[in-house]
Amino acid sequence: MKTDQQHDFYEKLEAKGVSRRDFIKYCTVLTATMGLPYSCVSKVAEQIEQAASKPRPAVVWLHFGECTGCSEAFLRTPDVGAIILETISVEYHETIMAASGHQAEKNLHDAVEKYKGQFVCIVEGAIATNYNGAYGKVGNRTFLAIAQDIVPKAAAVISIGTCAAYGGVASAKPNPGGYKGVGDALGIKPINIPGCPPNPLNLLGVIVKYLSKEPIELDSIGRPMFAYGESVHDNCPRLKFYDEGKFVTEFGSKEAELGYCLYQLGCKGPQTYNNCPTAKFNDGTSFPIQAGHPCIGCSEPDFWDTMTPFYEES
Amino acid sequence: MGKRIMIDPITRIEGHLRIEVEVENGKVKDAWSSGQMFRGIEIMLKGRDPRDAHHFVQRSCGVCTYIHALSSVRAVEDACKIEIPENARIIRNLLHGAQYQHDHIVHFYHLHALDWVDIVSALSADPVKTAKLSANTSGRRETAEYFKEVQTKLKTFVNSGQLGPFNNAYWGHPAYQLPAEANLMAASHYLEAIKLQAKAARMHAIFGGKNPHPQSLVVGGVTSVGDLTPERIDEFAAIWKETKAFVDEIYIPDLLAVASFYKNWGAIGGNNTTYLCYGDFPQAGINDNLLMPAGVLLGDLNPKPVDTLKITEDVTRGWYEKGGAKHPYDGETKPIQGEVTYNTDAQYSWMKAPRYDGKSAEVGPLARVLVAYTSGQKDVKALVDHVLKTLGVGKEALFSTLGRTAARGIETVVVGNAMGGWIEKLKSNIAAGNKKTYQPWTMPDKGRGFGLNDVPRGALGHWIEIDGGKIKNYQYVVPSTWNLGPSDGKNQKGPVENSLIGTPIADPEKPLEVLRTVHSYDPCIACAVHVTDLHNHSTYKVSVI
């Protein structure tokens, strides 16, 4: 017997052309991403149903020194996953919001006041710190000043992407703007969801856990263990070739066509912690190693300096 | 002295942009465009491995993803004299074509539409009449029930009090001219397009591993040889078909339907005389038989060949130390090291001012379509004539905000159609046993080269100098810098600044009309901001953030 709440939820789903079966299938993918056993699928589905019936928690999404790739990745969430996104209310997001200029500024101010101590602050991009933050501004305020004002008023802080987590490309040597990740720039410990871009499934996993008030276990550099607990190498579909000593030594070779291991072309899978081989990108379509390209280590701090040159064995 | 209006942040773009206009007697009298962020990627490239450059520069932008990587590998291949195999050229074209489809759809619906479509007005539309409107205009049969459902969804959203992205916009502004039913139809397709774009991006993931920031390009070719199976190509083709159907049946009809209510915008937002495009989609050799031809229009409609030596960048009004206008190979950039002051009478942007033969030039869909039309590109010519005839406007209407937005739709169709042929060619090569996707090569000690392409936002060029097998110098001149760059030493304004002059402003508190023209250029500011060497003795130069 379905509860009223479930009834409403599935009616809403059907209105979107999403069947209960599609939804459960997606929950299965998400459950696996969250590192939970198959037996938890119904629990995850239930958590989403419950979240959908409650007032939506407010999200303020700030853009600093970034390329908007993380927002774009988030927008690639397939149709079914969008149901989960509807359990939150994005009150401020410069890439998608209709208002501009001082109306936009007012939205930010109002959201922060209205949901003070309750909203989730998602930060995309690194923060310029040289010359009092002179190299990055919105509405005539530096990224640094905005972050110092808004972030402490949030209930939780998520750094989305390697730039917000650890500085990313903006902080690659010689780092002209003195860019830093949010944690470093503000002296706080956010939940870091690195990757260039990060997999949107990892953000959804965090959202579901957050909404159901479950603890989110983090590694020593702030990454959720469910997504970043194992190396790319550990789960690589080409691992057997590594073990057998079968390597690609030149792109376009017979060995490349046979899908051998890319380690000798500089693959950084062994040093990189992320769930790319299992979660994959764009609704499970692929990930770089599947496309024949070595991993460049994009979810590790300072990978632009520590993992380069990318095409040399490390 | 008119009233000054500052819009910062400009939203629904990539990056951090400020626009200021002076309004007098209900019209824009003067305008200033300012980039507000600076990272400095090309300075980071100095001394690094040239093979790594495309990964760095791709991070210029995650909206116009892929395109900088493509320019970069082309520049290194030019410097190292590498000719990539045919399959690599086709796969690169397919990835680039997919970017055009995705980017232009997202721009029209999610970045630009809300300048023309009043979401609140859609709430009062009659779903039955909307279905009739759709039957007359759209290529898809959409029922009154469908529109009723969308309307209910919007109402629930509004009644929840959590308007999210739609909060506090210029709804009800007198410049919104669509009837409620057209607003509802467009709002419905805004939602459809969100779903479609997530699917369309999978084309990049199939041959590129992921999107944004696909990762299958390398200097010498592409790596996704394992994906060259009939099944994988069919998967790509199926998404291409679905995307193309959306473009033909929804996007173009919506564009024409919306434009028919805004014909007055065929006389607003032009004002440029120079149009530049490098052309793209080589269908033979390295850069031959371009689908979209290269050319420059210098105040007339006779396209001339592009001479890249005529490209310079001026830093007079940017936050840099003074210096003359220089070619990317010879330029010198010395950004101010310290706090910077925004002053429209002096320096006011992190962007430089690119010039062609000393003139500011518009780049992007309008430039490409004008050059293609005047060069006699048949597909473009047929579509332009069709659009003008359908709207009942003359060719002069192309030189406007409306023309720019229409040009974007026109080239989406032309590129989308061409992709079908490339898919077939790839299939037949594979069937014939030709899977060559990479040309082996060795790094020279020294080399110099450039890679040009024409990307969704316009003409893009990367210049590289290699010494000792490492990057000695790397610079890029980017579409949004051409379009949104500031004034120069001769007080010539940039294209967006020019275009804003004369724009009518109904309500200075709500400058909706300014957004229309700015968004018609599809600004990408993270790409556009140049930075460079903070060490004054270096000869480093141009480029992007």
Side-chain angles (χ1 to χ4, degrees), chain A residues 27-308:
Chain A
C27 288
T28 311
V29 175
L30 187 61
T31 306
T33 302
M34 291 165 70
L36 299 170
Y38 183 73
S39 58
C40 290
V41 171
S42 60
K43 190 179 150 206
V44 168
E46 202 178 300
Q47 284 169 340
I48 296 167
E49 286 164 24
Q50 280 178 2
S53 70
K54 289 177 189 159
R56 298 175 296 156
V59 170
V60 169
W61 188 304
L62 300 175
H63 287 88
F64 295 139
E66 43 86 329
C67 76
T68 315
C70 302
S71 286
E72 287 286 334
F74 177 70
L75 292 170
R76 300 297 181 267
T77 304
D79 216 11
V80 196
I83 308 289
I84 299 163
L85 303 183
E86 288 177 17
T87 63
I88 59 175
S89 175
V90 180
E91 296 290 320
Y92 186 86
H93 189 298
E94 287 163 20
T95 319
I96 55 173
M97 65 194 295
S100 266
H102 62 83
Q103 282 87 353
E105 292 283 275
K106 184 175 183 302
N107 284 1
L108 176 60
H109 180 261
D110 290 354
V112 169
E113 286 311 309
K114 186 173 171 191
Y115 301 104
K116 202 169 182 174
Q118 297 162 40
F119 69 93
V120 176
C121 188
I122 299 181
V123 183
E124 177 175 355
I127 297 174
T129 61
N130 285 353
Y131 320 120
N132 293 320
Y135 284 6
K137 290 179 189 173
V138 182
N140 215 28
R141 281 203 298 171
T142 64
F143 298 157
L144 185 61
I146 295 168
Q148 284 166 341
D149 174 24
I150 308 284
V151 170
K153 294 173 183 161
V157 183
I158 298 173
S159 292
I160 186 85
T162 304
C163 294
Y166 312 119
V169 72
S171 71
K173 283 176 187 162
N175 190 0
Y179 278 93
K180 289 180 179 174
V182 176
D184 263 6
L186 301 183
I188 59 168
K189 287 192 184 306
I191 297 172
N192 291 325
I193 307 182
C196 193
N199 195 319
L201 268 175
N202 296 342
L203 177 61
L204 293 186
V206 167
I207 291 173
V208 170
K209 278 179 180 273
Y210 179 78
L211 291 177
S212 44
K213 299 191 167 46
E214 268 189 33
I216 301 170
E217 192 191 347
L218 304 176
D219 69 8
S220 62
I221 51 173
R223 302 179 294 196
M225 288 294 286
F226 72 76
Y228 301 88
E230 291 172 350
S231 76
V232 169
H233 185 71
D234 289 339
N235 293 304
C236 184
R238 298 179 188 231
L239 182 59
K240 61 175 185 293
F241 294 120
Y242 177 87
D243 292 339
E244 292 166 10
K246 291 178 174 168
F247 296 100
V248 182
T249 53
E250 184 169 77
F251 291 116
S253 61
K254 197 73 207 159
E255 292 76 18
E257 216 174 296
L258 290 167
Y260 285 1
C261 175
L262 298 165
Y263 184 73
Q264 293 185 356
L265 286 177
C267 186
K268 305 298 184 284
Q271 303 103 293
T272 305
Y273 288 78
N274 206 338
N275 56 0
C276 306
T278 49
K280 296 193 181 179
F281 291 87
N282 303 88
D283 206 10
T285 304
S286 191
F287 77 109
I289 292 172
Q290 184 174 336
H293 195 287
C295 167
I296 61 169
C298 76
S299 53
E300 295 300 316
D302 305 324
F303 76 97
W304 294 105
D305 295 320
T306 60
M307 306 277 190
T308 46

Side-chain angles (χ1 to χ4, degrees), chain B residues 79-98:
Chain B
C80 301
K81 301 182 171 50
I82 303 162
E83 184 160 0
I84 62 167
E86 185 186 31
N87 288 334
R89 189 192 71 229
I90 295 172
I91 292 170
R92 288 181 182 183
N93 276 348
L94 286 172
L95 291 169
H96 199 186

Side-chain angles (χ1 to χ4, degrees), chain B residues 255-283:
Chain B
L255 175 66
L256 291 170
V258 172
S260 70
F261 292 97
Y262 287 105
K263 288 184 199 172
N264 53 329
W265 280 82
I268 301 168
N271 301 345
N272 292 315
T273 50
T274 305
Y275 295 88
L276 170 70
C277 82
Y278 300 149
D280 215 317
F281 300 107
Q283 300 177 107

Side-chain angles (χ1 to χ4, degrees), chain B residues 69-88:
Chain B
L70 178 60
S71 273
S72 180
V73 292
R74 281 180 179 173
V76 181
E77 284 157 4
D78 184 43
C80 301
K81 301 182 171 50
I82 303 162
E83 184 160 0
I84 62 167
E86 185 186 31
N87 288 334

Side-chain angles (χ1 to χ4, degrees), chain A residues 68 75-76 99 132 285 291 312, chain B residues 11 14 51 197 211 223 339:
Chain A
T68 315
L75 292 170
R76 300 297 181 267
N132 293 320
T285 304
E312 298 293 332
Chain B
T11 58
E14 194 302 321
R51 296 173 298 171
Q197 62 82 28
N211 168 284
T223 66
E339 296 194 39

Side-chain angles (χ1 to χ4, degrees), chain A residues 251, chain B residues 73 77 82-85 88-89 92 216-224 437-439 441:
Chain A
F251 291 116
Chain B
V73 292
E77 284 157 4
I82 303 162
E83 184 160 0
I84 62 167
R89 189 192 71 229
R92 288 181 182 183
S216 65
L217 292 191
V218 282
V219 174
V222 298
T223 66
S224 44
T437 50
Y438 179 79
Q439 176 58 47
W441 60 283

